Every structure is written in structure tokens, then in C-alpha cells.
Amino acid sequence: MKSNRKRLGDLLVEAGIITEENLQDTLTYKKEGQKIGDALLERGLINEQQLIEVLEFQLGIPQISLFRYPIDTAVISLIAKDFAFRNLVMPIRKDGNQLIVAMHDPMDYIALDDMGLSTGLVISPVIAKKEEIIASLYKYFSKTETFEELDMDRIADENLAGEDAPAVKLVNQLLEVGVQMKASDIHIDPQESKIHIRYRVDGILRTERILSKKIYSLLIARIKILANLNITETRLPQDGRIKLDVNATPVDLRISLLPTIYGEKIVIRILDLSNVMIHLSQLGFNKVNGQAFVKMIERPSGMILITGPTGSGKTSTLYAALNHLNTEQVNIITVEDPVEYQMKGINQVQVNPSIGLTFASGLRSILRQDPNIVMIGEIRDRETAEIAVRASLTGHLVLSTLHTNSALSTIPRLLDMDVEPYLVVSSLIGVIAQRLVRKVCPDCKIEYTPSAMERNLFQKRGIPVQSLYRGEGCPSCQNSGYHGRIAIHEVLNIDDTIQTMMMNNKPLSEIKQYLVLNGMIFLIDDGLLKAKQGMTTIEEVLRVARHD
């Protein structure tokens, strides 16, 4: 292997899959410690199959499907579990003094050398897809107790901290699976005699496991201990937070407990700290909207609002904007509830209503700290809206979020908060509405001819279409046809004409007509354009965006 130690980026450029400019741009913006292959995949410059084919052709390393390959369980113990998960390597069989190992990155020469030293064997790598390796690691390395036969009388209440305690092992398993599936939330739902474990993946909830109710009291106690919550309190809702590493992945967990008739329901929100959106190019803006958004946030003052329902990626867009603006020359202060991701060089304030630190009071104090840019997690009331508007009129750039259905409906929503119309008109410089849609799985994507109904939908929006795409379903996407999510946007730039129309109380229908004539790309349009490009499907777009 050592004689052929080329770099992956160079191989991809040589194969003509990416340009040298793509490579250098990705190297500049990739996350600290992130491998170049993962960064290119994340930015959509390559898909996993292209990556595997280049490695297979250029290095002569064969590709296998782990779902069809017979794995010798006797060799599993040759590689440490932590090492296997951290480096995504799966030992599959031994052939004389050779250990055959499935790798996501067969060019990880450090991992190859480490495995050779620890096993004393010659490591022979084969290439496998990332999801297949992760699924195999959980299948062969993780335990799968059902806890049905647990003798609760023999388990002491204090046995909640040892690594071998049933509740500790179960909580670890649930978190590991959540991180592996890239779930945003884990739901632990107590029923009369069972516990339902559900994971929200790509915005869709699905039941993954049903457990015996016997383990329930220990499970709840373990989670409460980790989150520093009151173990004895079962009648009131509680909220907590846990920060830990799950198989070398740093995660921040938000814990919410709600009393129900069958016990306390737990929802665990998983914030993957290694996967923070940090660059505007990762947000999925089309070229027109992306340029308009950058131009907007680079203005010295004014108010920019990002709208959409809960879970539509508003926070990621805000953080990416702040990251773009974050330089030594500016003072950026945020007031959030809660502070989801901690960013270097930015002053972040956590709201705490129990001691009187609300959005409004925090915002008043922030304005005495000489800020250039202020980010407010959410505008929820008249007082916060009024201070935000006045701050934007006194030379500050204010970024915030609001819950509305479209960019245009943000205007009456602000006026409903009893903010003076002339202040709203003067301060608002732009509104971005967004939703998240599931992406077509790149491993089972197929092209098809659109039906008459689908063609008609595109024609109504003035978009020509010859072919569309969908996922057939494969092991990589757990037969859903989708893998990951991407945002669709509409960017409303408040120009002088719209300001005049707002001041004269013109109806929204008239403002919308002006925007249509001026070529604004609405949510449905951006969604259909992304469906045409094969990023998503019409079903996904219509699920989240209205078609008027």
C-alpha cells in the first residue's frame, strides 16, 4: 500500500469527477478533522458510488456489499470496538496471515498501519458503503438485549452508573442507534405494557424497537441522572441537557419529559456537534436566491427574518449567516433559547425566563454592548419585535426567526404584533422562507418520464420538464428512496416599491402580483426546480409547500 499513497482529492481530479477549483474550495471550507471525501459528499460535488468507483479503478481495491457478504464472527474481536466505529472499519474474514477488512476509506493509511500493528496481520482492505459498514458495526459489535427476562427484584436502585447496568447499556444503545441513523429526535413512548422507541429520521417518525415495560423505571432514572433532573418528580414536565460523546461523535442532547397516563414520555433532541452547518454553500440555495441572501446579510443595518415551521432548518441558516459575517472587525451578539451550537468569536446569551432574562430584556442589554450584528433566536412577542425593529433602525443588522407560512405573510404577522407600520416598513430589508425536503437516495435514484399531472404542475409554474427522478429503495436508504434533506427557499427582498405598497396598506395579493412579475422564485418553484434536477421528488415538495 505504501508505494501507492496518493491523495483522494488528486484521484478525483485526475478522473475528471471534480475540478481543481472544487477541491481547493472544499479544502478551504471543510470542517476541522473532516475527511475530504466526506466534505465533497456533503457539498454534493460527488456521490458515494462515484467515490467508490474511482477508488476501485485507481487503486485496484475491490468493492463488496456487506449485506450479502458472509462475515466470520470469529475475527470481530481482532479490532477494538471504539477503533472500528471511529475509523469505519469492519473485519470480515481471515485468510492465512491476511485480515480482510471492509473500509469506507481504504486510503486511510494511518488506520491501516494501526490495524496491522495491533493484529500482527497483513491488512487487505476492500471497499464498502458507509451505511453498510455502520449497520454491520451495530449488528456485530452492539448488544441487542430485549430485557424481557430481566429480574427486577435482583437489581438495586443504585445500579444506574456502572457500565454493565441494564439501564446504562440500554440508554447507550438507544443513543448509538440515533446517531448512526442521523436521527434528529428519539421518542420513548410508554404504553400500557410496552415501551415504543421511535426515531425521527429526515423529518419522518418511525418505530424501531418495542421494549418490555420492566426496564422503564430504570430507563427513566438513568436519563434523569444524566440530565441532572429530579428523579422523584413524576407529575410535572421537566427539561434538561446532556453533553457527551457517542462512539467518538460529540453530541448535545436536549431532554424533555412529559407526564402521560402510562408514565413519563421522553423526547431526546440530538444535536450533532460535529455536523454544524458552517458555510452558506451548504444550505442548498439556488444561485439566484444565494446571491440575493448574501447581498442582504452583508448590508450594514436593517432587519432580516427567516421564517418557517419548527424543524425547517432556520437555525442552521442563521448560524451559517453569522459564520459568513464573523470577522475580527465586527461585534456579533446573540440571544437564544436555547443556545444550540457554540460558535467561536460570537457572544451568545442563553435566555432564562425564571430569573427574568427574556428575549426582550436580553436584547436591551445587548444594545448597550456596542454590537454591529444582533441575532435573536425568535421574535415571540410585541416587546421583542419592537426592540428588534428599533435596533435595526439605529445602525444594527438584526437577524431573527418568525413562525409564518411564507415570506410574504411575515408582513401582516409583524403588524399583528402592534409594531408601528412605519417602523416595520423602514426596518425590514428581507425575508427568507424555507422548508426541508427529503433528498432522493443517490444509490437507487432512477429517471422516469413525468405523468400528465406532474407535467401540468411544472407548466403552470412556467418550468419545462422532460424527466424526473425517484428512489427505488435500497439498503442505504432503508428502502425509503430518500437519504438526507435539503432546504427549499423563497427570498423576499424589500425594495422601494414594496415599501411604498406596504406604507399605502396595499393588499398582499397586489404585492404578490408585483413579485410574480419581477420573477421572484417562490417555495413551490424552488422545490420543483430541485425536483427537476433530481435532488428531490414532487411528492416531497407538495408535502411542505403550498401550490396556489
Side-chain angles (χ1 to χ4, degrees):
M1 292 297 296
K2 289 186 181 177
S3 61
N4 194 24
R5 295 200 166 186
K6 291 185 178 180
R7 294 187 306 175
L8 176 59
D10 296 334
L11 290 181
L12 291 166
V13 172
E14 283 173 25
I17 292 174
I18 61 170
T19 64
E20 184 64 35
E21 187 183 355
N22 292 151
L23 176 60
Q24 295 308 321
D25 195 36
T26 305
L27 286 168
T28 303
Y29 293 114
K30 77 182 181 73
K31 299 163 194 162
E32 191 177 337
Q34 187 180 33
K35 291 182 177 178
I36 186 66
D38 291 333
L40 289 165
L41 285 167
E42 195 175 83
R43 299 187 74 190
L45 294 170
I46 57 171
N47 62 44
E48 192 169 19
Q49 194 54 43
Q50 285 176 314
L51 183 62
I52 288 171
E53 283 170 4
V54 165
L55 291 170
E56 191 175 14
F57 177 74
Q58 297 278 5
L59 303 178
I61 299 173
Q63 176 193 354
I64 65 158
S65 170
L66 278 175
F67 293 132
R68 300 190 190 98
Y69 199 95
I71 292 172
D72 181 1
T73 54
V75 302
I76 302 295
S77 59
L78 294 175
I79 304 289
K81 178 184 174 182
D82 290 347
F83 181 91
F85 273 93
R86 190 168 60 250
N87 295 284
L88 291 183
V89 297
M90 180 71 201
I92 51 179
R93 70 183 173 89
K94 192 177 167 200
D95 187 3
N97 72 333
Q98 280 195 334
L99 180 64
I100 317 298
V101 178
M103 301 182 71
H104 171 57
D105 179 10
M107 298 183 76
D108 187 345
Y109 302 116
I110 295 172
L112 285 165
D113 291 344
D114 286 349
M115 285 188 288
L117 285 169
S118 64
T119 62
L121 298 169
V122 177
I123 305 300
S124 180
V126 292
I127 309 169
K129 288 182 178 172
K130 189 175 185 177
E131 282 78 10
E132 294 185 11
I133 292 177
I134 291 171
S136 298
L137 288 172
Y138 279 98
K139 181 179 178 181
Y140 291 99
F141 279 98
S142 296
K143 298 188 185 300
T144 54
E145 294 109 324
T146 62
F147 302 99
E148 280 291 346
E149 305 305 319
L150 204 60
D151 184 354
M152 296 304 294
D153 296 329
R154 294 176 60 189
I155 297 175
D157 286 342
E158 64 269 21
N159 192 15
L160 289 167
E163 284 301 312
D164 292 328
V168 174
K169 288 197 283 189
L170 177 57
V171 171
N172 290 346
Q173 280 179 34
L174 298 182
L175 296 178
E176 285 174 359
V177 172
V179 171
Q180 178 248 323
M181 293 173 71
K182 291 187 168 58
S184 60
D185 302 89
I186 304 172
H187 288 239
I188 301 172
D189 298 335
Q191 303 298 317
E192 193 169 6
S193 59
K194 299 285 182 186
I195 311 169
H196 289 232
I197 310 294
R198 296 190 292 167
Y199 292 88
R200 188 178 294 280
V201 180
D202 294 338
I204 308 295
L205 264 177
R206 59 172 179 249
T207 302
E208 285 293 319
R209 198 166 173 185
I210 297 175
L211 295 169
S212 165
K213 195 79 179 275
K214 291 178 182 179
I215 192 75
Y216 177 71
S217 58
L218 287 179
L219 178 62
I220 288 276
R222 173 62 181 167
I223 290 171
K224 284 183 176 178
I225 286 170
L226 285 172
N228 290 319
L229 299 176
N230 185 350
I231 296 181
T232 59
E233 180 56 76
T234 59
R235 299 165 301 167
L236 293 172
Q238 294 190 71
D239 293 306
R241 187 171 180 169
I242 307 168
K243 215 172 190 177
L244 45 78
D245 283 1
V246 178
N247 281 333
T249 302
V251 292
D252 198 347
L253 307 172
R254 300 289 157 73
I255 313 297
S256 173
L257 283 89
L258 182 72
T260 70
I261 56 171
Y262 293 123
E264 292 169 278
K265 171 182 165 64
I266 308 170
V267 175
I268 303 172
R269 164 70 50 99
I270 302 174
L271 300 170
D272 185 347
L273 300 179
S274 68
N275 201 28
V276 188
M277 283 281 192
I278 56 166
H279 194 257
L280 292 176
S281 63
Q282 296 170 269
L283 294 175
F285 278 108
N286 65 47
K287 196 173 181 182
V288 174
N289 283 344
Q291 288 172 346
F293 183 57
V294 170
K295 195 174 176 183
M296 210 178 272
I297 63 174
E298 287 180 346
R299 287 174 64 170
S301 64
M303 184 163 70
I304 299 166
L305 296 176
I306 298 169
T307 73
T310 302
S312 59
K314 299 187 297 294
T315 305
S316 293
T317 304
L318 276 178
Y319 280 135
L322 291 181
N323 189 64
H324 178 79
L325 298 168
N326 188 15
T327 64
E328 196 181 314
Q329 289 79 36
V330 294
N331 179 21
I332 302 175
I333 308 182
T334 75
V335 54
E336 305 170 62
D337 183 23
V339 174
E340 291 201 11
Y341 297 111
Q342 293 164 14
M343 300 184 74
K344 289 179 184 175
I346 292 176
N347 309 286
Q348 295 170 277
V349 177
Q350 168 76 52
V351 166
N352 189 349
S354 63
I355 58 169
L357 180 52
T358 61
F359 277 116
S361 63
L363 192 49
R364 278 198 198 90
S365 300
I366 279 173
L367 295 175
R368 293 193 285 271
Q369 289 279 318
D370 184 33
N372 300 94
I373 298 162
V374 175
M375 191 269 269
I376 308 160
E378 186 185 341
I379 293 178
R380 295 176 181 170
D381 52 45
R382 183 194 64 79
E383 193 179 8
T384 309
E386 196 164 289
I387 301 167
V389 165
R390 291 187 184 278
S392 67
L393 290 172
T394 53
H396 304 92
L397 181 68
V398 177
L399 304 172
S400 190
T401 68
L402 202 63
H403 287 277
T404 61
N405 288 327
S406 67
L408 204 52
S409 58
T410 302
I411 298 168
R413 176 85 174 87
L414 276 175
L415 297 175
D416 286 346
M417 286 183 169
D418 291 335
V419 181
E420 291 292 342
Y422 73 91
L423 290 177
V424 174
V425 172
S426 306
S427 65
L428 196 61
I429 58 174
V431 184
I432 295 90
Q434 70 177 60
R435 301 287 188 279
L436 290 177
V437 292
R438 290 183 291 170
K439 290 195 291 186
V440 175
C441 173
D443 294 330
C444 60
K445 186 199 291 192
I446 57 163
E447 190 176 342
Y448 72 95
T449 303
S451 64
M453 191 183 293
E454 289 171 329
R455 204 181 291 277
N456 184 42
L457 179 61
F458 277 87
Q459 282 173 350
K460 278 185 179 176
R461 309 300 301 187
I463 303 170
V465 65
Q466 299 301 321
S467 57
L468 291 172
Y469 302 84
R470 63 168 173 254
E472 282 191 303
C474 68
S476 294
C477 60
Q478 298 191 328
N479 292 314
S480 67
Y482 298 99
H483 189 75
R485 288 191 287 179
I486 192 169
I488 59 172
H489 306 88
E490 62 184 28
V491 177
L492 169 61
N493 184 36
I494 309 290
D495 60 16
D496 293 341
T497 306
I498 295 176
Q499 280 190 336
T500 305
M501 293 170 92
M502 286 166 67
M503 284 301 292
N504 292 324
N505 286 322
K506 295 291 183 186
L508 285 186
S509 56
E510 203 170 308
I511 300 176
K512 186 172 182 178
Q513 194 175 2
Y514 166 77
L515 292 170
V516 170
L517 291 172
N518 278 269
M520 177 169 157
I521 300 170
F522 291 90
L523 274 174
I524 185 80
D525 302 321
D526 193 31
L528 292 176
L529 286 167
K530 285 185 166 85
K532 181 183 174 180
Q533 291 167 349
M535 295 182 191
T536 187
T537 62
I538 284 189
E539 290 80 11
E540 274 298 289
V541 175
L542 295 180
R543 182 174 66 86
V544 300
R546 268 190 329 191
H547 174 48
D548 298 325

